[in-house]
Amino acid sequence: MSLSVHIKRKLGSFILHVDLEYEGGILGILGASGCGKSMTLKSIAGIEKPDEGRIVLNGRVLFDSEKKINLRPQERNVGYLFQNYALFPNMTAEKNILCGLCREKDRAARQRKLEDVIGAMKISEFREKYPHQLSGGQQQRVALARMLAGEPELLLLDEPFSALDAYLRELLQTQVRQILQKFGKDVVLVSHNRDEVYYLCGDVSVMDGGRILKTAGTKKLFADPGSRAAAVLTGCKNIADAQKAGEYEADVPEWGIRLRTAQPVRDDLCAVGLRAHYFNPKSRENLFPVVYSAKREEPFEVRILFHYTGQQEGTPDLWWRIPKDRSPQQMPEKLGIAPQNVLLLYPED
Amino acid sequence: MDWYPLWNSVRIAAVSCVIVFFAGIAAAYYVAKLPRVLKGLLDVIFTLPMVLPPTVCGYFLLILLGPKRPLGMFLAQYGIRFAMTWYGGIAASAVVAFPLMYRTARGAFESFDLSLAYAGQTLGLSNTYIFWRIRMPACRQGILAGLVLAFARALGEYGATSMLIGYVPGRTATISTTVYQLWRTNDEAGAFQWVMVNLAISAVILLTVNLLESKNGKAGGT
């Protein structure tokens, strides 16, 4: 499987400019709301028309502005799961799924496929029910079944869990992961939730202001986001401007410290990021005296706000997060961070 | 009692309602897709008959379709005369009832969740199927309301109808023109009879609609 998306779209002052090459598996597009990630998905599905560019799926040209090719969504064979699931309210769960089988003209085959997918997705209990009679999780299953029934080449999932409350969300993420593994489809998932993307996706693209900043393996990208926007999106809480001070050293004037790094520092370093979980009073390196300003208790974690003793006036405090059971009785005078946990952030292109 | 006005009113209202149903829905569907300026302009034109006095609509219809006007003379060659014929009443009622259908359908279409249509497209459903089997059922209540309003308006139409087709007993007489004519000629009892007929019809229509809606509600359609 291969997907190649190179498109431009101008909407007022917002410019979507996506360049994406993707080999297969589950790709997550991580971005804040309004960054253009949904529009990217809609362009692939053929619901939105880009101003210019080219979209190729498995060698099949779906869109090419130069050759004036623009396949209708019906011809693209791409499944789309909407944020609100978009189940047809006037049809039962079963009828909804049959809509996904409308390409299958043979009646017996259609009925067989219907039974298959209803069995595989465990829908038989509520197949005769209307969407408004179903719970959020059941609706999602019906929508997934409807989409999978047509055997699309590619699945597009648009914020699939954002309509659910936190408990159900985690439960369904596990289920969806199993379903996606079972059907072995290629997937592009769009989300603003980093946990969701980290759990479900093999690769991640980080998107900001209509552009894809970086695409990499999920673990690699979270370990080295590479740019300020990507660091924020992957959940890095402490970011400050920085300059190169030596091959393995960076100056952070805001915090009044010089950090040792594990990676060689490039000349164009613009900022560093320190993840709130990685501070360690027992660290041997990057150990600096700190002053605590506030503590916020959560069910299982403690968030501690602090600043370095040499920190500039008026700059925001840093976050330190620590599980409750490891929370120290006596607050340490110094906090350190391992050099490999100093995220080096560079300008976006 | 001569029942001709009842039969005439009902057939005029029914036929104009069918026309208005399709024309109103088509107009609502396509106007919504137009660029803003054109949309605003067409919206004004389509809604105008609702705010104009019906006699003014009748005046315009006479100017357009009158026997001495180009279009009227052209149609007369084929034996079609809208002035002083029963089916001229269809033109009058349709024009006056059209905005009611158009506006309610537009409101319903605008509140339609477009992701349903998009989902249908990605599943491979044809646009025609999506329109009739997904969009229309989802907008059913608004469209039904528009249809009832249009039918009631067409049935009660007086101003444009009397301008265009006048009152000829047994030929162009409708309930509302008959009521006026009988009252004018001091036949109060006759006018009262037709008033009661009109009340009965309106009550039946409204009851039917209420029944339909509660039935649909139970089937879980919405």
Side-chain angles (χ1 to χ4, degrees), chain A residues 34-316:
Chain A
C35 75
K37 54 197 194 315
S38 268
M39 200 188 288
T40 306
L41 273 205
K42 290 198 166 89
S43 302
I44 299 171
I47 299 164
E48 292 268 357
K49 187 169 174 267
D51 296 331
E52 57 184 283
R54 201 172 139 86
I55 301 171
V56 184
L57 172 65
N58 294 336
R60 212 155 49 93
V61 179
L62 303 183
F63 177 79
D64 190 328
S65 56
E66 268 175 33
K67 290 186 189 147
K68 301 239 181 296
I69 297 174
N70 183 19
L71 292 190
R72 301 186 313 140
Q74 284 95 332
E75 300 163 322
R76 295 195 179 197
N77 200 18
V78 167
Y80 199 113
L81 185 73
F82 285 84
Q83 196 171 345
N84 62 359
Y85 312 131
L87 292 175
F88 306 136
N90 53 322
M91 301 182 195
T92 60
E94 184 179 313
K95 284 265 169 57
N96 263 285
I97 297 169
L98 277 171
C99 283
L101 286 164
C102 64
R103 289 192 183 96
E104 176 61 67
K105 297 298 170 210
D106 179 54
R107 256 187 96 172
R110 191 164 62 218
Q111 197 60 35
R112 202 186 59 241
K113 285 182 179 175
L114 172 72
E115 296 305 329
D116 284 352
V117 76
I118 280 180
M121 301 289 292
K122 304 192 180 72
I123 284 170
S124 44
E125 281 170 57
F126 47 89
R127 60 192 288 173
E128 297 298 337
K129 292 222 169 122
Y130 286 91
H132 75 274
Q133 299 169 311
L134 302 177
S135 70
Q138 290 170 331
Q139 287 185 19
Q140 193 192 47
R141 238 145 76 203
V142 174
L144 273 169
R146 182 177 73 173
M147 174 176 70
L148 289 164
E151 292 166 22
E153 279 177 51
L154 174 69
L155 306 181
L156 306 173
L157 312 184
D158 189 354
E159 298 273 8
F161 306 101
S162 64
L164 304 164
D165 59 58
Y167 168 74
L168 201 57
R169 187 183 305 152
E170 286 178 15
L171 201 72
L172 288 179
Q173 282 169 359
T174 319
Q175 283 183 13
V176 166
R177 193 179 144 122
Q178 284 165 357
I179 289 163
L180 293 179
Q181 276 167 356
K182 181 149 85 183
F183 284 82
K185 295 277 182 192
D186 292 305
V187 178
V188 181
L189 180 147
V190 148
S191 176
H192 65 272
N193 183 323
R194 62 173 188 278
D195 297 341
E196 195 170 302
V197 167
Y198 192 86
Y199 175 62
L200 289 167
C201 305
D203 293 282
V204 179
S205 289
V206 183
M207 197 161 179
D208 185 55
R211 299 176 70 98
I212 287 183
L213 303 178
K214 186 174 183 180
T215 303
T218 303
K219 295 211 164 128
K220 210 173 141 228
L221 188 125
F222 275 75
D224 180 19
S227 68
R228 208 184 185 117
V232 170
L233 283 167
T234 57
C236 182
K237 291 282 183 290
N238 309 307
I239 299 174
D241 291 341
Q243 290 113 35
K244 177 173 175 163
E247 211 192 337
Y248 290 96
E249 281 180 322
D251 269 336
V252 191
E254 245 178 63
W255 296 335
I257 57 173
R258 175 172 289 186
L259 290 165
R260 285 190 57 77
T261 69
Q263 301 274 330
V265 179
R266 275 174 17 212
D267 288 340
D268 57 343
L269 181 80
C270 67
V272 292
L274 306 178
R275 291 201 187 275
H277 280 106
Y278 287 159
F279 288 107
N280 185 352
K282 290 178 192 134
S283 168
R284 263 189 271 152
E285 291 187 85
N286 294 330
L287 198 62
F288 301 103
V290 296
V291 181
Y292 299 98
S293 49
K295 186 171 172 180
R296 180 169 145 175
E297 215 168 302
E298 288 178 1
F300 309 106
E301 277 191 338
V302 190
R303 280 203 256 172
I304 298 157
L305 279 166
F306 69 89
H307 56 263
Y308 289 107
T309 47
Q311 187 160 342
Q312 277 176 19
E313 287 282 326
T315 54

Side-chain angles (χ1 to χ4, degrees), chain A residues 334-346:
Chain A
K334 288 180 175 181
L335 276 182
I337 193 154
Q340 67 267 27
N341 289 332
V342 176
L343 306 179
L344 301 176
L345 309 176
Y346 298 96

